[in-house]
Amino acid sequence: MAATISHWLGNKTFTGTSGNTAPVTNPATGAITGRVALASAEDARTVIDSAAEAFPGWRDTSLAKRTTVLFKFRELLNDRKQELAAIITAEHGKVLSDALGEVSRGQEVVEFACGIAHLLKGGMTENASTNIDVASIRQPLGPVAVISPFNFPAMVPMWFFPIAIAAGNTVVLKPSEKDPTAAVWIAELWAEAGLPAGVFNVLQGDKTAVDELLINPTIKAISFVGSTPIARYVYQTGTAHGKRVQALGGAKNHAIVLPDADLNAAADAMVNAGYGSAGERCMAISVLVAVGDIADNLVAKIADRTKSLRIGDGTKNSDMGPLVTWQHRDKVVSYIDAGEADGATVVVDGRRVQADGSAGGFWLGPTLLDHVRTDMSVYTDEVFGPVLSVVRVDSYDEALELVNAGPYGNGTAIFTGDGGVARRFQNEVQVGMVGINVPIPVPTAYYSFGGWKHSLFGDIHAHGTDGVHFFTRGKVVTSRWLDRSHGGINLGFPQSG
Ligand code: NAD
């Protein structure tokens, strides 16, 4: 019988009362392996109430005690991350080494949050005015929500909750209903690390659960990651209900390869960034902009490398696993079909993949499309699969214009041997995260992650010092302690003196 994947509150599982569930599949076999609870609004309120109840106590817990729990969580995670990686592979489909990489990138944020005492330090000015001192402090917001997508069931939540918890907030995590088990495993780890009940909660569900988080006045801030239409909706609804919202959306990342680039290194990078995790990464490269007369040579090098990739069950010795659901696989295939019908050249055809895995798996091989035009749907839309489209242009200026004309601005990369052009690119490109001879420029935990334009709604990026600011509010205290002889009436506006 398929396992039930429940909510988590009060440091234990909570089945909820809705009675609604959704199937969870193993993408490598197509088998239903579990059924995830889908919260009713009432279930959502129960979980939110748990976070609200725990907030005053956690907020007043000393930084020393909070960081002890953080350090313990980090140690447990580090010791047992293989378990979490296996859960991710079983529900998402990505290969084990990639799942482990995801956990390690999330762990970096936990390690960053272990330094919260330093990160929360305010400023203090003595004698700003005569006998008056001014100090700035940062305080937690209250119960906050994290709503995450299917493609990084561990790392994306970890962009947010370690900092939120370390700063003294309580958290409700609403994971994707496609791969919900990682969240519950993480919750158990927090309990083992000594986190008090109610500080970290998991709410399983779909739009009903999200909508309650967006409108419920107890929730003070929302960190959302997902597709652009939902990110826009979450931002508009959450802010209309008075919440602080950062909503990270979809992407369409371009890599420009200039004629002076090392073409072998660039071809390796295109394969890694185009097909890693079956292209289901918001930082995947989905468009290669080949500049000048290198295109034939570069496309041939990529095609050679692509043909050697092993596609199969992520628990085996594969380079690339299946897509997350059959519906998503069929949608990606429809973009390849449309591109071909519109005149793109199918250089490598993933529709004819021979996967090393069960016949019921949601397989689609790496696909390389050449001569893609900007009016084709495979170019205009976020495909989110193992499809690399090649657009040919004549100059750097034309390539830059193409990147800047797109509605998204998550990641981009340039491959060149010319430092001057690279420097010009980092200055001129309208994208939040830029790689120079680096195909997937995901910032380390102490910098912040976030795109521009339709890739992020809100002003503050994820983790790093932005994360600390997002999960805290600034307060400035002006104080005077002196002998009673000082004073007197003065109705003028306060001035330094
Ligand atoms: P999604 O937008 O379908 O789902 C994201 C979350 O929103 C899930 O928790 C889901 O349950 C919820 N949701 C879905 N439909 C909803 C609705 N109508 N109302 C309210 N909530 C709803 O995204 P996904 O398919 O899970 O993830 C892939 C997308 O996420 C891609 O577009 C990818 O680019 C994006 N993504 C972006 C980043 C980034 O950092 N910018 C990172 C990872 C993924």
Side-chain angles (χ1 to χ4, degrees):
M1 207 180 86
T4 302
I5 304 147
S6 307
H7 318 285
W8 179 272
L9 65 87
N11 274 356
K12 50 185 189 302
T13 54
F14 164 62
T15 313
T17 57
S18 79
N20 293 333
T21 61
V24 176
T25 46
N26 180 335
T29 63
I32 295 178
T33 54
R35 295 203 70 87
V36 60
L38 297 179
S40 60
E42 191 192 330
D43 292 336
R45 284 193 287 274
T46 305
V47 178
I48 293 167
D49 287 350
S50 157
E53 210 178 300
F55 176 62
W58 184 243
R59 174 205 145 111
D60 290 341
T61 300
S62 74
L63 277 169
K65 286 184 183 147
R66 277 193 236 148
T67 44
T68 303
V69 178
L70 260 286
F71 273 102
K72 180 72 181 164
F73 180 79
R74 187 268 172 203
E75 290 310 303
L76 290 171
L77 181 65
N78 193 48
D79 287 348
R80 292 174 46 192
K81 56 183 158 192
Q82 299 280 358
E83 282 173 41
L84 182 54
I87 289 170
I88 295 168
T89 295
E91 291 185 354
H92 175 284
K94 65 177 75 174
V95 301
L96 265 176
S97 55
D98 196 35
L100 205 52
E102 141 166 27
V103 178
S104 297
R105 291 308 302 263
Q107 185 178 318
E108 287 177 14
V109 184
V110 180
E111 288 158 5
F112 173 74
C114 284
I116 196 71
H118 177 73
L119 295 164
L120 282 185
K121 277 196 299 194
M124 158 88 182
T125 303
E126 187 185 40
N127 225 20
S129 188
T130 306
N131 289 328
I132 290 196
D133 304 331
V134 182
S136 69
I137 54 177
R138 298 204 70 85
Q139 297 185 324
L141 307 176
V144 300
V146 177
I147 302 165
S148 58
F150 81 83
N151 67 322
F152 285 107
M155 182 187 77
V156 164
M158 281 198 263
W159 282 350
F160 307 103
F161 68 68
I163 298 172
I165 289 174
N169 303 279
T170 55
V171 171
V172 176
L173 168 61
K174 208 301 281 170
S176 167
E177 58 275 47
K178 296 191 178 95
D179 43 15
T181 302
V184 181
W185 187 92
I186 288 168
E188 286 168 358
L189 209 70
W190 272 123
E192 205 177 321
L195 193 71
V199 177
F200 182 78
N201 309 273
V202 178
L203 175 65
Q204 306 284 9
D206 52 17
K207 179 171 167 52
T208 305
V210 172
D211 282 347
E212 183 59 31
L213 292 169
L214 295 178
I215 62 171
N216 193 304
T218 300
I219 295 291
K220 301 301 177 209
I222 307 260
S223 295
F224 172 91
V225 181
S227 58
T228 287
I230 311 295
R232 187 184 285 110
Y233 166 75
V234 164
Y235 184 75
Q236 289 173 348
T237 313
T239 52
H241 285 81
K243 299 178 200 308
R244 186 177 285 193
V245 182
Q246 51 180 183
L248 285 69
K252 188 83 190 177
N253 305 317
H254 294 57
I256 297 175
V257 180
L258 295 180
D260 64 2
D262 175 335
L263 292 193
N264 287 319
D268 286 347
M270 290 308 106
V271 172
N272 297 341
Y275 306 126
S277 197
E280 292 170 327
R281 290 179 181 146
C282 67
M283 291 293 276
I285 293 295
S286 65
V287 181
L288 158 58
V289 187
V291 180
D293 59 7
I294 55 164
D296 287 343
N297 193 4
L298 184 58
V299 167
K301 284 176 186 292
I302 295 169
D304 269 358
R305 286 159 170 76
T306 303
K307 284 171 187 158
S308 69
L309 293 179
R310 296 159 301 177
I311 317 308
D313 190 320
T315 60
K316 298 196 181 131
N317 201 18
S318 311
D319 297 306
M320 196 187 104
L323 273 71
V324 67
T325 58
W326 66 262
Q327 292 93 332
H328 186 55
R329 188 261 322 271
D330 289 358
K331 188 173 165 206
V332 176
V333 167
S334 76
Y335 278 113
I336 303 170
D337 293 344
E340 185 176 34
D342 290 343
T345 310
V346 184
V347 182
V348 181
D349 192 345
R351 294 169 296 188
R352 292 184 230 302
V353 65
Q354 296 287 329
D356 177 13
S358 156
F362 310 138
W363 307 111
L364 176 64
T367 299
L368 182 60
L369 298 180
D370 197 1
H371 300 286
V372 170
R373 294 188 320 269
T374 55
D375 61 340
M376 296 179 184
S377 61
V378 73
Y379 178 80
T380 55
D381 294 3
E382 181 182 33
V383 176
F384 220 57
V387 182
L388 182 63
S389 296
V390 182
V391 179
R392 297 171 175 233
V393 300
D394 292 328
S395 65
Y396 163 82
D397 287 326
E398 214 184 313
L400 178 74
E401 206 177 302
L402 194 68
V403 178
N404 284 349
Y408 300 103
N410 213 41
T412 188
I414 191 164
F415 289 81
T416 178
D418 183 334
V421 178
R423 199 162 173 271
R424 195 177 142 197
F425 180 69
Q426 77 180 37
N427 177 261
E428 294 175 335
V429 76
Q430 302 290 308
V431 172
M433 292 171 284
V434 181
I436 295 171
N437 297 319
V438 172
I440 308 183
V442 176
T444 49
Y446 41 93
Y447 285 90
S448 297
F449 182 106
W452 287 13
K453 301 198 275 188
H454 292 182
S455 295
L456 190 144
F457 301 91
D459 305 311
I460 303 186
H461 292 193
H463 62 69
T465 45
D466 269 25
V468 178
H469 276 240
F470 186 78
F471 289 116
T472 54
R473 273 189 301 197
K475 194 180 260 182
V476 179
V477 182
T478 304
S479 56
R480 176 163 58 191
W481 293 101
L482 39 69
D483 63 79
R484 285 161 202 265
S485 62
H486 191 90
I489 303 289
N490 182 352
L491 300 194
F493 196 71
Q495 300 174 42
S496 301

